[in-house]
Amino acid sequence: MGAVFSNSTFGPREQPHAMTALAFRSALPGPIVAITANIHGDECTGTGAIHALASVLEENLLKGSVLMYPSLNPEALEDGRRDLPASGEDLNRLFPGHWNGSRAERRVRSIWQEVIHQAPAAILDLHSDSPLSIPYTIMDRPIAFRGGSRRDMELRIEALARATGLTVLWDYPDSKYRNLHLDRSLAGSAINRAAIPAITIEVGPRRHLDPAAVKTMNDAVWGVLAHMGMVKDRSRAKPAVVRAQSWYRADGPVALVGGILAPLCNPGLLLEPGMALAEIRNLDGEVMQTLRANCRCLLLGIVEKAFLKPGDCCATLGLAEQAR
Ligand SMILES: [Zn+2]
């Protein structure tokens, strides 16, 4: 038993920040899993989780290979920002990228080439939502598939997502999913262009390494590796809130006036129609608007903002997914 470790760098030659790849390969054949982090440069929990995994995988990998990418956006990590500096583009909406495209598209192409070239059996893309959110796993919509093959892909994605042990939810319904270019995210593109099951794990906070969040992320990833028979299952602390139902992602109520956002309830709560989840106040402390749920839903998280402008959405919700 035991695995061989190697590391390398990759990325467009003309770009100063190379990306790092860490690989653990067991002598026993088995699945290849790719774990990617920090494509949004201010979301660093996944980077910490990869470092934690790297310190134990050499001893613990039973079969197959684990390929890990601690930061797909290292210059944004340095700047503490989401998008690619000097470009302003969100890398996670540009897959599979383009060698002759913008700086961001060339970066994305090099990531796509590096990850897909390894023919992984699964991709886990690690992100962070707000500090006011429960940890959850997003399942992308396999919109390129039809009928039975769509159902098959959904089952493969859902099996990975459930293995994280977190609350899981499908992404926005198909038309919104497509309009937001989520099929051009890393996970969405892996599923829809390369037929590789992928999930996006969201464990907040962003912007700093939080030991408890890193542990939650690490446990979620470990759960998937154990599900695939690549590591031994281990006991893990259950996240404080796991809502086992089938949900899909939806945006919370929108601010009609600008003002201070004051949350009124904790993430993870099941909201009944009409329940207030937050209010908007002016600087006098006067309530300008009460933000209420308009149907039964799960409060996944409240946005990491102290001030909302008119039109800003205040929360991420889970709505009940209809069985197909
Ligand atoms: Zn993200």
Side-chain angles (χ1 to χ4, degrees):
M1 212 170 71
V4 175
F5 170 72
S6 63
N7 60 347
S8 57
T9 58
F10 68 100
R13 230 171 285 134
E14 84 285 1
Q15 295 186 16
H17 284 77
M19 289 167 283
T20 297
L22 311 175
F24 290 86
R25 297 177 200 277
S26 165
L28 274 185
I32 297 168
V33 172
I35 305 171
T36 51
N38 194 234
I39 193 164
H40 291 141
D42 58 347
E43 301 177 14
C44 58
T45 307
T47 308
I50 284 178
H51 291 163
L53 271 171
S55 68
V56 296
L57 269 184
E58 209 161 339
E59 306 266 287
N60 286 279
L61 187 63
L62 302 173
K63 64 177 183 184
S65 301
V66 179
L67 313 172
M68 301 194 290
Y69 303 91
S71 176
L72 296 181
N73 198 351
E75 56 268 65
L77 175 63
E78 288 180 13
D79 279 6
R81 58 190 277 176
R82 176 184 176 90
D83 52 19
L84 185 69
S87 140
E89 287 172 280
D90 183 342
L91 296 176
N92 208 31
R93 299 291 182 273
L94 296 175
F95 282 89
H98 207 292
W99 284 126
N100 298 318
S102 66
R103 180 186 167 84
E105 285 171 316
R106 296 197 300 279
R107 164 67 65 92
V108 163
R109 190 68 194 177
S110 72
I111 297 168
W112 180 254
Q113 191 102 328
E114 160 70 26
V115 176
I116 300 302
H117 180 73
Q118 316 279 350
I123 296 174
L124 317 182
D125 193 29
L126 311 185
H127 288 247
S128 303
D129 195 349
S130 150
L132 295 166
S133 65
I134 58 167
Y136 60 94
T137 301
I138 295 182
M139 303 179 287
D140 274 77
R141 300 282 186 181
I143 55 174
F145 296 78
R146 297 281 174 273
S149 55
R150 174 155 182 171
R151 191 65 204 134
D152 287 348
M153 180 52 90
E154 285 173 344
L155 288 171
R156 293 168 73 193
I157 296 167
E158 187 163 0
L160 290 178
R162 296 273 177 210
T164 64
L166 305 178
T167 298
V168 311
L169 77 160
W170 290 104
D171 215 323
Y172 296 110
D174 286 9
S175 57
K176 182 163 184 178
Y177 177 82
R178 196 180 279 112
N179 289 341
L180 292 173
H181 303 298
L182 289 162
D183 58 327
R184 303 193 59 193
S185 65
L186 175 50
S189 225
I191 291 166
N192 287 300
R193 286 172 188 266
I196 296 170
I199 53 173
T200 302
I201 308 177
E202 298 271 358
V203 182
R206 57 185 101 198
R207 305 188 71 81
H208 70 277
L209 276 186
D210 173 72
V214 169
K215 172 90 171 62
T216 300
M217 182 71 95
N218 187 278
D219 283 348
V221 171
W222 193 273
V224 177
L225 296 177
H227 165 77
M228 297 180 78
M230 299 171 73
V231 295
K232 276 202 189 114
D233 213 351
R234 69 177 186 201
S235 62
R236 47 183 159 155
K238 264 208 159 239
V241 181
V242 180
R243 300 291 184 188
Q245 228 177 297
S246 278
W247 307 98
Y248 72 90
R249 172 151 74 153
D251 293 333
V254 164
L256 303 175
V257 288
I260 313 286
L261 172 65
L264 296 176
C265 45
N266 289 326
L269 198 72
L270 291 174
L271 302 173
E272 296 298 333
M275 257 174 87
L277 57 132
E279 59 191 24
I280 295 180
R281 299 178 193 151
N282 65 17
L283 283 177
D284 293 343
E286 218 178 313
V287 176
M288 309 298 288
Q289 185 188 352
T290 302
L291 298 151
R292 298 178 187 279
N294 61 9
C295 61
R296 192 165 190 273
C297 59
L298 168 64
L299 178 60
L300 283 160
I302 293 181
V303 295
E304 188 183 12
K305 284 180 182 169
F307 190 95
L308 289 191
K309 294 180 182 146
D312 283 352
C313 161
C314 71
T316 304
L317 305 177
L319 266 55
E321 172 89 352
Q322 304 300 323
R324 283 146 158 307

